Amino acid sequence: MTDAAYLLVHADREYLLEPGEEFGTDLGVLEVPEDVTAGDTVETHLGETFEVRELRGPDLFDHLERTGAPMMPRDIGLLIGHTGASAGDRVLDAGTGTGILSAHLGRIGADVTTYEKDPDFADVARENMRIAGVEDRVDVHTGDLAEEVDALAEGEGFDLLTLDTADAPAVVERAADLLVPGGFLAVYSPFVEGTRDAAIAAREADLEGVETLETIQREMDFSDRGSRPSTAGVGHTGYLLFARRP
């Protein structure tokens, strides 16, 4: 993995910029050196100093170009934790979207093949993979994974199958043909109906350990009056279904 972009930070300002890029702000013009590295400082022409930071996972969620609602970092953490995704794994993904999940998996060393139906979304995802420094690990295909299952099933099996699409249950039906023995399935859906259909498909496909989790997280508020979960924000993000090929 190579670093293709950096964060330039000044107080609460953060700009995602590449080496050699010039960017104008009200604090002055930033000219990022070609040989910039994390830990350097860069001054604007007005003398304001920006710290150069290496991109981390949460920065991808905050700064990559979006084509929809990407998976939240907490959902990605659950997915990686429950499937044990790690370096060297072969991952098959559908519903690339912005590419946040694929980028995270690429950054931990997995090799990802991901499918996105919308050609414009796929182009954005490819650029995001370049910025994230994982274009050598994430292969973005334009197309529908459901239409490619037969061809993919003839090849080497995948260690992990991740789905974030409306037609996920149809692919789940063929999960055993796509996964290596012991390989994991993970399906994300914002709606419980889609998750229920995927769970039924997983059981009918004789997958093991089928479980569904609602992802809820509440931020805590601390004040002189006391401490309690925040009443602001959205606690629910969606549902994650996990299963495993016997």
Side-chain angles (χ1 to χ4, degrees), residues 188-221:
Y188 175 82
S189 175
F191 304 110
V192 71
E193 292 86 356
T195 306
R196 180 180 183 275
D197 291 342
I200 292 172
R203 292 190 175 95
E204 290 179 348
D206 294 326
L207 300 183
E208 295 181 341
V210 181
E211 64 171 341
T212 303
L213 305 175
E214 181 182 11
T215 58
I216 298 177
Q217 190 175 70
R218 296 189 296 176
E219 185 176 352
M220 296 296 295
D221 284 342

Side-chain angles (χ1 to χ4, degrees), residues 65-139:
E65 182 178 349
R66 297 188 182 184
T67 52
M71 286 184 67
M72 297 284 288
R74 67 183 187 230
D75 300 330
I76 294 171
L78 278 172
L79 187 151
I80 292 174
H82 278 258
T83 65
S86 60
D89 280 354
R90 298 184 71 246
V91 180
L92 179 60
D93 173 68
T96 316
T98 297
I100 296 295
L101 174 60
S102 293
H104 273 271
L105 292 170
R107 287 171 69 87
I108 65 174
D111 294 309
V112 184
T113 300
T114 181
Y115 284 79
E116 171 55 54
K117 293 180 181 180
D118 189 301
D120 293 334
F121 288 10
D123 286 341
V124 171
R126 292 186 189 99
E127 175 65 6
N128 282 342
M129 297 309 100
R130 186 190 67 79
I131 292 171
V134 294
E135 61 182 339
D136 59 334
R137 290 195 175 276
V138 180
D139 188 7

Side-chain angles (χ1 to χ4, degrees), residues 12-32:
D12 60 350
R13 307 281 189 93
E14 292 185 353
Y15 301 112
L16 180 64
L17 300 172
E18 298 185 43
E21 188 172 355
E22 182 177 302
F23 185 74
T25 79
D26 60 332
L27 299 177
V29 177
L30 276 167
E31 294 185 8
V32 185

Side-chain angles (χ1 to χ4, degrees), residues 28-40:
V29 177
L30 276 167
E31 294 185 8
V32 185
E34 292 282 359
D35 60 351
V36 70
T37 60
D40 291 347

Side-chain angles (χ1 to χ4, degrees), residues 154-174:
E154 294 178 358
E156 184 181 353
F158 293 89
D159 302 288
L160 173 62
L161 172 61
T162 58
L163 305 172
D164 182 5
T165 61
D167 61 357
V171 180
V172 172
E173 293 174 0
R174 300 290 305 279

